[in-house]
Amino acid sequence: MASTATKTFKNFIGGDWVDAASGETFETTVPATGESLGTFPKSGPDDVDRAVEAAKAAFEEWRLVPAPKRGEILFRFGQLLADQKDELALLMAREMGKVLPEAAGDVQEAIDMSFYMGGEGRRLFGHTTPSELRDKFNMSVRQPIGVVGVITPWNFPIAIPSWKIAPALVCGNTVVFKPATDTPLLGERFVELLVEAGVPAGVVNVVHGGGGAVGDRLVRHPDVPVITLTGSRETGVEVMRNAAENLKHVHLELGGKNAIIVLDDADLDLAVDGIVWSAFGTSGQRCTAASRVIVQEGAYEELQSRLVAAAEKLRLGPGWEEGVDVGPVINRRALEKIHSYTEIGTDEGAKLLTGGEAVNGEGTFYRPTIFGDVDPEMRVAQEEIFGPTTALIRVRDLDEAVRVSNGIRFGLSSSIFTRDVNKAFRAMRDLEAGITYINAGTIGAEVHLPFGGTKQTGNGHREAGQAALDVFTEWKSIYVDYSGKLQKAQIDTAG
Ligand code: NAD
């Protein structure tokens, strides 16, 4: 397995571990310390082409492996993840930076997804229906599509690949996987374990490298009919445009600007716990992070002071150290972007209540940051910051709270703290988001429910749950006529 000593890693193509055709490499480092964890192939279009060729060839056999057998491989994979949960979590705390309990949660999500999708091997339900004609049988079945291009971000380096690769495989597709360049080591471990679980050569291939060279070639490759991408809105737009030429199936899970609503009647202790977890967990680098808190005026002052006190108690440090609440952010570029939003917010007239600065030293640490008196139209309340920064917005009532919550381009997660069941149900109906939590923060999805967002968070698809199967299969409708004569639908009406 991958140790913490610096090592040289390879691509995995057609069952062989190979270097990039160019021989070029890039490094992955520990954001908490800057130390190198390993060297990876800096691949290009040639490497992608080779991987697609291998995946295309493997598809011809893999699609015929009975789905329950494909599912059994996922059960083994889930068990291997479970056996190595601690090692993987430690590796994640190092390579990606999240604190150990969250890193273990990331791995757990992949375990859950593997077992859930393993079970799909015995379902993959279609429908049988009556026919409008005599002696005729109708059914619909799911069919695999072919080679799936899997492009992932760094913030859930084990969970997100599992959301895509587990359903792709159980449905009978083959995969070319491009992990994020900030977390290639976890991507590599993921594939090693799939191989150990029994995935045949060519069925899963991994090609390391950048979005421009590797990701883009996958997106444009004519033999990759499905692209599944989790990333920023900007990348999503580019991918959709570039995939249009071949009319690919494009599945996008993009950004968020999620809000927690706190009404006057809320349990404020609970609300503060939910906000701290949702705004500062994973250093705010979750697509579902709460980067806005919309507070009814009667609770505003009290909530603000409790929240600032709670944020100031959080301990920053390397994710693997005991008692640390908030790890580093992913890299220096991210740190600079997060700090630029502190400047933007201050310039816009928002009140900086706490944080607002990086911590000096080797690691990329940023203090939990809260802005008060934020206007919903300010950039800090509209744009995804992807760091430990949240904005408090004061509103009069539920209607205004819902309007403000909805007043953004994204629609991923939403939440409301209230003890009034009528208000909770109105929020459930009216919040424009793919996910709504009642009396919980904006994070905490479970793998058997659909996950994804409305509006510009995506393009109408969902991962997880049964909904994920729609991304990775095509429906086929089958009509079996056993009348022995030519019957014409819509024309022969005698019954
Ligand atoms: P990113 O968009 O920079 O990169 C995502 C992946 O796309 C990477 O592997 C990258 O190399 C690749 N890529 C970049 N340009 C490409 C191109 N032109 N063609 C093909 N591939 C390309 O995102 P990131 O910084 O890695 O992740 C953070 C973003 O991901 C945030 O916006 C966050 O909200 C989003 N995210 C969304 C969800 C969700 O489920 N909705 C979950 C996690 C993260």
Side-chain angles (χ1 to χ4, degrees):
M1 79 158 257
S3 79
T4 49
T6 298
K7 278 190 173 183
T8 303
F9 296 91
K10 295 177 190 266
N11 290 329
F12 187 63
I13 298 179
D16 296 319
W17 294 97
V18 292
D19 291 320
S22 68
E24 288 183 52
T25 59
F26 68 98
E27 273 194 350
T28 182
T29 55
V30 178
T33 62
E35 123 204 36
S36 173
L37 270 183
T39 300
F40 283 82
K42 191 171 175 184
S43 315
D46 290 352
D47 304 290
V48 175
D49 290 357
R50 222 162 294 137
V52 172
E53 203 181 314
K56 193 179 171 195
F59 176 66
E60 288 313 318
E61 172 55 28
W62 182 245
R63 73 189 177 90
L64 301 178
V65 172
K69 297 283 172 215
R70 298 194 298 249
E72 281 168 21
I73 293 179
L74 291 179
F75 287 136
R76 282 199 291 279
F77 177 60
Q79 192 54 52
L80 288 169
L81 287 170
D83 295 345
Q84 301 196 20
K85 186 172 168 182
D86 292 346
E87 292 95 315
L88 288 166
L90 183 59
L91 194 58
M92 196 180 305
R94 290 174 65 77
E95 190 183 35
M96 182 275 161
K98 63 177 82 174
V99 296
L100 266 184
E102 290 183 27
D106 189 314
V107 179
Q108 186 59 46
E109 204 161 309
I111 297 168
D112 297 343
M113 184 61 85
S114 304
F115 288 149
Y116 178 81
M117 286 298 168
E120 270 313 318
R122 288 192 182 269
R123 290 189 295 264
L124 288 179
F125 293 140
H127 302 282
T128 59
T129 72
S131 168
E132 61 191 47
L133 293 166
R134 283 181 187 227
D135 299 332
K136 193 177 167 200
F137 184 86
N138 296 350
M139 62 185 154
S140 61
V141 297
R142 290 185 182 277
Q143 297 234 298
I145 306 175
V147 181
V148 176
V150 171
I151 305 175
T152 56
W154 44 266
N155 66 335
F156 280 86
I158 294 287
I160 290 182
S162 82
W163 298 355
K164 299 177 183 305
I165 294 174
L169 292 182
V170 82
C171 290
N173 305 284
T174 56
V175 167
V176 178
F177 170 32
K178 188 206 92 62
T181 44
D182 283 301
T183 51
L185 187 44
L186 288 156
E188 128 103 16
R189 288 294 297 137
F190 188 93
V191 171
E192 271 181 42
L193 292 178
L194 275 172
V195 174
E196 203 178 326
V199 169
V203 170
V204 174
N205 306 272
V206 63
V207 182
H208 293 284
V214 176
D216 186 63
R217 178 61 185 156
L218 267 178
V219 168
R220 293 176 196 265
H221 199 298
D223 292 333
V224 181
V226 185
I227 292 290
T228 171
L229 165 92
T230 297
S232 63
R233 179 190 172 277
E234 291 65 34
T235 303
V237 170
E238 210 175 316
V239 163
M240 200 161 181
R241 192 178 292 132
N242 295 338
E245 194 62 37
N246 287 299
L247 291 173
K248 296 191 179 199
H249 295 210
V250 179
H251 162 234
L252 303 173
E253 294 292 343
L254 310 174
K257 188 69 188 175
N258 317 288
I260 291 177
I261 296 173
V262 183
L263 297 185
D264 285 350
D265 67 8
D267 175 339
L268 289 193
D269 286 333
L270 182 63
V272 168
D273 285 350
I275 297 164
V276 167
W277 173 230
S278 305
F280 306 126
T282 324
S283 306
Q285 303 168 111
R286 288 180 180 237
C287 49
T288 50
S291 54
R292 298 180 299 156
V293 181
I294 301 168
V295 194
Q296 197 172 3
E297 52 198 4
Y300 186 93
E301 297 301 333
E302 181 62 23
L303 184 95
Q304 174 174 297
S305 63
R306 288 200 210 181
L307 188 59
V308 169
E312 288 178 349
K313 279 205 202 93
L314 295 172
R315 275 153 305 174
L316 271 71
W320 58 86
E321 277 184 11
E322 188 91 14
V324 166
D325 301 301
V326 180
V329 300
I330 188 70
N331 55 35
R332 235 155 253 277
R333 204 160 17 93
L335 194 74
E336 282 159 19
K337 178 181 169 196
I338 293 162
H339 188 63
S340 78
Y341 273 97
T342 296
E343 291 170 343
I344 290 167
T346 312
D347 290 348
E348 285 178 311
K351 201 191 291 171
L352 182 61
L353 300 172
T354 187
E357 57 180 10
V359 178
N360 286 333
E362 281 307 309
T364 45
F365 294 94
Y366 202 79
R367 291 199 193 286
T369 300
I370 303 174
F371 277 109
D373 293 330
V374 174
D375 182 281
E377 296 308 318
M378 288 178 178
R379 286 182 62 193
V380 282
Q382 288 287 326
E383 296 171 18
E384 186 179 48
I385 301 171
F386 224 57
T389 301
T390 199
L392 299 184
I393 302 170
R394 194 190 304 250
V395 293
R396 278 183 308 280
D397 54 22
L398 175 63
D399 286 343
E400 188 183 357
V402 168
R403 229 176 13 254
V404 169
S405 184
N406 291 345
I408 44 156
R409 55 159 60 157
F410 299 111
L412 185 49
S413 188
S414 57
S415 139
I416 184 166
F417 284 85
T418 177
R419 290 185 168 108
D420 183 332
V421 68
N422 295 350
K423 290 181 175 158
F425 267 87
R426 280 175 52 203
M428 284 185 242
R429 183 192 60 197
D430 295 338
L431 288 170
E432 293 169 356
I435 306 167
T436 294
Y437 292 93
I438 308 299
N439 291 325
T442 48
I443 60 187
E446 301 179 28
V447 302
H448 48 296
L449 273 75
F451 180 92
T454 62
K455 301 199 277 189
Q456 295 192 27
T457 289
N459 59 344
H461 298 285
R462 291 291 182 272
E463 9 210 23
Q466 302 269 309
L469 305 176
D470 291 333
V471 171
F472 299 105
T473 53
E474 289 267 28
W475 282 111
K476 177 181 274 192
S477 300
I478 300 175
Y479 303 93
V480 184
D481 192 318
Y482 55 99
S483 69
K485 58 186 185 221
L486 182 66
Q487 301 194 87
K488 298 177 190 141
Q490 292 92 41
I491 294 172
D492 294 342
T493 51

